[in-house]
Amino acid sequence: MSRLVRLEVDGGIGTIRLDRPPMNALNIQVQEELRAAAHEATTREDVRAVVIYGGEKVFAAGADIKEMAGMGYAAMAARAVALSGAFDAVARIPKPVVAAITGWALGGGCELALTADWRVAAEDATLGQPEITLGIIPGAGGTQRLARLLGPARAKDLVMSGRRVPAPEALAMGLVDRVVPRDEVYRAALELVRPYVNGPAQALRAAKQAIDGGLDMDLASGLAWESQLFAALFATEDKAEGMAAFVEKRAPKFEGR
């Protein structure tokens, strides 16, 4: 089988590129190749930041409904866990991640975008969770990540109505972080994460772990988690370099160690 997802690395930035024309429908092969690409981006030292990109025309228009239509409860009970796990692997990449959204980001496509730390969308992009119109609900993190990002009321609006949200409205509600012309989406995504390429990789990893992990804890537990991660960074070379550079009034040269 041809590869439908690939990791392309250039200048410290890894692009997880979906390539299943015409709509990048998310079937089982795409699901598992996303998982593999996420693991590769996580482990490769030459990848310091990540862009998720579906191409100039479409990010991902959703799950492969033809593949799902014939599945019953037993089959989907097994696949649902694997699907959620594949998307979670993307969400857990311990590096800055941005989704570059063109065209449609619907259903599973929107859920994939939600795994990123930030979202850059084209002016004519459309996002949404239309699963309710098929008699189901999002199954790859949509109900959970939307509620954490937008709050429960707005998450219920999008999930229970299934309505499609144009990019300007998505920006206003916080579903995306930046809206640019279509032909500038990928470049804008690269520019958003480029400053992190030469940053302190261990501190960036800890920052992401502290924020994402803390969302699932009460305040006292979150503060303890933060303290643990904070103290651990005092064992890194980048901490020594950063503080030496500050004292010596020069720019730090981080190595990511």
Side-chain angles (χ1 to χ4, degrees), residues 9-252:
V9 182
D10 182 31
I13 300 176
T15 298
I16 295 178
R17 175 71 157 85
L18 279 66
D19 188 17
R20 192 189 180 209
M23 303 301 283
N24 288 333
L26 302 168
N27 65 356
I28 292 175
Q29 183 181 346
V30 172
Q31 163 193 309
E32 291 310 310
E33 290 185 7
L34 272 172
R35 188 198 307 276
H39 288 161
E40 184 179 357
T42 294
T43 57
R44 282 183 59 165
E45 292 186 1
D46 60 335
V47 175
R48 303 292 289 271
V50 176
V51 178
I52 309 171
Y53 185 50
E56 297 178 354
K57 295 183 178 180
V58 63
F59 183 71
D64 189 328
I65 303 304
K66 291 182 179 179
E67 183 182 72
M68 287 186 172
M71 299 178 72
Y73 169 77
M76 184 49 71
R79 182 181 174 187
V81 174
L83 176 62
S84 182
F87 278 47
D88 201 48
V90 181
R92 291 182 181 276
I93 294 172
K95 301 168 185 181
V97 179
V98 58
I101 302 168
T102 54
W104 304 102
L106 299 174
C110 187
E111 290 174 300
L112 179 59
L114 288 169
T115 65
D117 301 307
W118 306 282
R119 284 154 290 283
V120 174
E123 293 172 331
D124 58 352
T126 302
L127 298 87
Q129 300 289 168
E131 289 91 344
I132 203 79
T133 64
L134 302 174
I136 58 174
I137 64 171
T143 64
Q144 302 306 301
R145 293 193 174 96
L146 269 179
R148 285 165 172 75
L149 181 66
L150 305 179
R154 280 183 170 163
K156 289 174 184 175
D157 168 34
L158 297 184
V159 172
M160 295 171 74
S161 71
R163 69 185 184 89
R164 301 181 179 192
V165 182
E169 183 184 356
L171 178 64
M173 70 168 60
L175 181 54
V176 301
D177 303 285
R178 194 172 298 177
V179 172
V180 299
R182 176 189 284 251
D183 61 358
E184 296 179 17
V185 169
Y186 183 63
R187 183 167 61 252
L190 290 175
E191 290 307 310
L192 193 154
V193 296
R194 196 179 306 281
Y196 301 109
V197 169
N198 295 316
Q202 298 303 319
L204 290 169
R205 173 195 296 257
K208 184 167 180 175
Q209 290 176 329
I211 294 168
D212 289 350
L215 288 172
D216 295 325
M217 303 177 187
D218 58 61
L219 180 58
S221 299
L223 290 171
W225 174 232
E226 178 188 76
S227 294
Q228 179 180 343
L229 292 167
F230 170 72
L233 291 170
F234 280 69
T236 66
E237 295 178 21
D238 280 348
K239 171 266 175 187
E241 166 61 13
M243 293 193 175
F246 178 84
V247 171
E248 297 165 11
K249 296 182 171 55
R250 60 174 175 81

